[in-house]
Amino acid sequence: MAKLKTLEDYREEIGQCVKCGCCRAHCPAFGAVKHEGRVARGKIALADALLKGEVEMEDRFLLDMSQCLLCGSC
Ligand code: SF4
Ligand code: SF4
């Protein structure tokens, strides 16, 4: 059986975001509300903060992470 991945398994990918913000132009979730937590850059920043223990999985965190259409545009 395949091992479930953890956030730690994505540490390298998380570190590859250069924070250019180009994903903002292509994200329908961000386009609807103009909130950084809804776009890939913001979600990656949240994941990074979670890895570093700077945030917890509280309601706002979970809301931002869940608001994604998985469209792949970013
Ligand atoms: S996720 Fe967004 S901000 Fe990060 S590198 Fe990709 S386009 Fe740039
Ligand atoms: S998959 Fe689509 S909705 Fe989700 S962050 Fe990327 S562009 Fe936005």
Side-chain angles (χ1 to χ4, degrees):
M1 191 162 70
K3 176 180 172 281
L4 284 177
K5 287 197 168 188
T6 68
L7 187 57
E8 180 63 40
D9 294 323
Y10 294 97
R11 183 182 288 275
E12 187 176 334
E13 286 89 340
I14 289 169
Q16 289 176 352
C17 176
V18 296
K19 302 178 176 58
C20 63
C22 291
C23 47
R24 292 166 60 128
H26 306 283
C27 177
F30 176 79
V33 295
K34 301 286 190 287
H35 172 58
E36 181 72 13
R38 303 296 164 85
V39 73
R41 182 173 66 175
K43 293 183 196 307
I44 291 168
L46 284 170
D48 187 49
L50 187 64
L51 271 174
K52 292 173 178 168
E54 297 170 354
V55 298
E56 295 183 358
M57 283 201 213
E58 37 72 42
D59 289 348
R60 184 58 185 263
F61 178 94
L62 294 173
L63 178 65
D64 283 339
M65 283 301 200
S66 67
Q67 299 296 299
C68 173
L69 302 174
L70 302 179
C71 65
S73 297
C74 54

